[in-house]
Every structure is written in C-alpha cells, then in structure tokens.
Amino acid sequence: MASFPHYLFISLLLLLHSILFSVVKCDDEEDNLLRGINSYRASLNLTALRENDKAKCLADEMADQFKDQPCTNTTGANTVPGTEPQFSDYPKLLSKCDLNATTTRDGMIMPACVPNLVSDLVLSNYTKSQYSNYLNDTKFSGVGIGSDDNWIVVVLTTNNPEGSFTPDTSSANLAFGLGLISHAVFILVAFFHLL
C-alpha cells in the first residue's frame, strides 16, 4: 500500500492554515469594526447596531467587487468620496443575497479603502469622517460588514420595510425592473452625498 507523501501532507496543512487564517483575519477586522462602531454609538447614547445577515451578504459582495480597485489613499485615514468604483451589476449583487430594491432603498452603503485594514484607521474612517453622520442617525438599527483585501464595506439597515434588507419575496422582474433604476440612484446618492 502506497503511503501518503510526507511533503504533500505538510503542504496541505500549510494551505489549510493559510485559508483559515485569512478567514479569521477578515472576521476579526469586521468584528473589531462592529465593536468600535457600537462603542462610538454608545458614547452618543444611541442603541447598538444589530448584525443583519442580508446586509452582511451585500457588504461581502460589495467588498469582493472593490478588492481589485487600487487603494490610492496614502494615509489610510479617509477614502476620498466620489472615487469609489461604481458597479453596473449591482442588481446581480442584490440577487445573490436574495434582496431587492424595495427593501434596500433606505439603507446606506459605506465603502472604505484602508491599506492593510489597520483597525484604528478603519474605525476613524467611519467615526471621524462624513460617514459619522450616518452612524449618528437613529433611523439605522442594523449593520452588515464585509471586507476583502484593503477594502471594507459597512451596510446600514433600518427597521422600516424600505431599509430592512429582508429577503426578496418578489419576482425577479421586480428586482430587475425597480432595482436597476433604484440601485443606480441609491449608490450615486450614497457616494455623492458624502461630498
């Protein structure tokens, strides 16, 4: 009986370790940011944001789209509003997360590029920038955070039906018909509102 080559076993272990480490690293960055944002909100006597699985899915999808975009900010402190990439396939990203235009239009998508996702710089990018206006807003009650490479995306949700990020119960036509127009406007307003 042939034995499993020792070097192949070690290579597989190293590969598994690197995959697990990268997943844990992303989760740690996202968890740290959520704790920091909720501490910031607590200091303002606001309720903590609750994690929203659908918003997390969208944040992950958006971060995955951003990852190939250059992070041109040399300080890592504030992503320059209006320089974020735009996506024509935004309705497809919603569809991947079982979302549609009717339940996401009041939400807020806040991408940031911070080299190496240094925790303190990531948090200050949200709490000491124009994004803080949204974090200070009592209408937001939920959050999803996703990251990939140097990009991290925070998606804020509300308790009302138009921003709750509840699963898509409508037909695909509604998601594409309303979604294509609404989401293009939603992203443009979200990014240019920061100017």
Side-chain angles (χ1 to χ4, degrees), residues 1 20 39 58 74 113 121 149 154 166 183 188 191:
M1 173 186 242
L20 289 174
S39 292
L58 183 58
T74 57
C113 183
L121 292 177
D149 198 25
V154 173
T166 55
H183 295 299
L188 290 174
F191 290 146

Side-chain angles (χ1 to χ4, degrees), residues 2-10 12:
S3 66
F4 195 68
H6 184 70
Y7 67 89
L8 190 56
F9 178 73
I10 292 173
L12 286 173

Side-chain angles (χ1 to χ4, degrees), residues 58-59 62-63 66 109-112 126 144-147 151-155:
L58 183 58
M62 295 292 292
F66 281 114
I109 298 174
M110 303 183 301
Y126 287 97
I145 301 174
S147 62
W151 286 90
I152 193 157
V153 178
V154 173
V155 176

Side-chain angles (χ1 to χ4, degrees), residues 70-146:
C71 188
T72 58
N73 183 357
T74 57
T75 65
N78 289 311
T79 300
V80 179
T83 62
E84 302 88 352
Q86 306 293 313
F87 304 108
S88 60
D89 61 347
Y90 185 69
K92 290 179 186 176
L93 301 180
L94 287 177
S95 179
K96 284 184 178 182
C97 297
D98 295 322
L99 293 168
N100 68 45
T102 60
T103 63
T104 60
R105 79 181 97 190
D106 284 349
M108 182 57 59
I109 298 174
M110 303 183 301
C113 183
V114 178
N116 302 314
L117 294 180
V118 177
S119 293
D120 292 342
L121 292 177
V122 170
L123 182 59
S124 68
N125 191 72
Y126 287 97
T127 60
K128 296 180 180 175
S129 72
Q130 294 168 338
Y131 284 148
S132 67
N133 293 333
Y134 302 106
L135 295 178
N136 298 347
D137 195 330
T138 58
K139 80 175 182 179
F140 294 112
S141 58
V143 65
I145 301 174

